[in-house]
Amino acid sequence: MMMNQLTNFNGRIYFFCLPRTEVEGGDQFQHLSICLAEGLKELGISFFSNINYWQESPNSNEYLFRHSPDITPNDCSIVVFSNNWFNSNYRLPENLFHPHRKYVTVYLDGNDNNEDYYQRPEYKKFDFVLRTHYNRHLNYPTNFYPWSFGISNRILRELEDLPNFEDRKKQILINFRHWQTGHPVRNVSSSLLIPAIREFLAINNSVDNKANYSREPYHYLHWQQTGARHYPSYYQRLKNSLACACFGGFFVPTWAKNSGGLLNRNLQKVMTKLKFKSNTVVQWDSWRLWESLAAGCTTFHLDFDQYGINLPTMPTNWQHYIGIDLDNITTAIERINDEPNILENIASEGRQWAIKNYSPVPTALRFLETIYQQPIIQKAAEYTSLKV
């Protein structure tokens, strides 16, 4: 079922969320849904949920997602799930895809792997699957669209009041946990970058101990709600650093186009074991990427265009971030040395670009544009109290 006319939008969206602690040892941090819902809330668009989720303050019982027993998916125009649903082995509601439904179904797919696409027939039934880690060199089902982790209000709050760039420490954060045994892209990139860049930037590889979380009520609440990902000390290190390495992912063969096929997955394992590189990378998106950009750090990643990394709105290499060619890292280092102000310029431009395109409101507007296949910025004012 596909609806292409904005006139079919009745101003209501329904989210299916998971309770935070229902599955022991599970991770119910539903970041993609949170970013989207925060934007919808600011736009004044009504949304509902199957449960109360994401407590906004330790001093209040107000939740971002609120359950109203009088509202069901059939009362809404869009019904949204996130990848946490399948990851926690939840069944979809009965008759979700019934033939007389008037709502569009959307799956926010932040999964690290691709294999579910061909093992779960439900993926074919969703009208839209908004996929992080999208790579334009690979083939996906026709209902898949590129998406991103993006920037939530929690992240933006931690990255306010940034110091002047010249007052930051002349260091780059390369603080992956166990990077030498983790993602191949991270391992190769860091191994090449560290010897070259330490000529002019110190390496800060400090990592927060999970047990050293803040006991302050606000930070403790979000440490709990994010699955132990919220550390004020980490954000402080970002704010005090000139740069941050945000590499991640796995090399896969370019010629095996099926993103979730058995051949592609087996070849990925072989390439990882043999330390082979390619110009196609999966599992490349991360919170760190968006946190670095929002912190006004000069953000290092692979060259998005060269390695097939795809976002709904693309950044420009050497304007918004520094994209590395792993076969020619010397050129990047020489350019940084030759242009003394380039790190500061990229850091400033990158922060502005990221907030303009991937903070909650633009995320919500892009979501509606994707669903209804037409520009929404002018139309949004018809459904909200916000002057867009």
Side-chain angles (χ1 to χ4, degrees), residues 92-125:
L92 291 174
E94 190 175 353
N95 294 323
L96 174 66
F97 302 110
H98 69 83
H100 303 296
R101 62 188 169 94
K102 295 182 180 179
Y103 52 77
V104 173
T105 55
V106 181
Y107 194 76
L108 301 176
D109 178 25
N111 265 343
D112 290 340
N113 64 69
N114 296 326
E115 59 191 87
D116 276 354
Y117 306 156
Y118 299 90
Q119 295 178 352
R120 288 186 175 273
E122 295 93 334
Y123 278 94
K124 295 181 180 179
K125 296 181 180 179

Side-chain angles (χ1 to χ4, degrees), residues 334-373:
E334 289 176 349
R335 181 168 180 178
I336 295 170
N337 277 320
D338 292 342
E339 301 180 40
N341 296 322
I342 196 167
L343 293 182
E344 181 175 1
N345 293 338
I346 292 173
S348 176
E349 291 284 332
R351 173 177 162 84
Q352 293 177 53
W353 172 85
I355 293 174
K356 176 183 177 181
N357 292 286
Y358 290 97
S359 56
V361 167
T363 295
L365 291 172
R366 181 181 296 109
F367 174 84
L368 294 173
E369 289 180 347
T370 302
I371 303 308
Y372 291 101
Q373 303 290 295

Side-chain angles (χ1 to χ4, degrees), residues 141-154:
T142 57
N143 57 338
F144 277 52
Y145 294 79
W147 204 243
S148 72
F149 276 47
I151 308 169
S152 67
N153 286 333
R154 176 186 64 87

Side-chain angles (χ1 to χ4, degrees), residues 139-190:
N139 294 333
Y140 297 87
T142 57
N143 57 338
F144 277 52
Y145 294 79
W147 204 243
S148 72
F149 276 47
I151 308 169
S152 67
N153 286 333
R154 176 186 64 87
I155 294 172
L156 289 172
R157 171 176 167 153
E158 296 306 309
L159 297 174
E160 293 176 336
D161 303 320
L162 299 178
N164 293 327
F165 197 78
E166 62 268 21
D167 294 331
R168 298 185 181 210
K169 297 178 181 178
K170 290 183 171 56
Q171 66 180 19
I172 179 171
L173 292 186
I174 305 182
N175 60 344
F176 310 113
R177 286 182 172 86
H178 313 297
W179 66 264
Q180 290 178 318
T181 57
H183 291 195
V185 171
R186 184 173 294 167
N187 304 345
V188 172
S189 304
S190 297

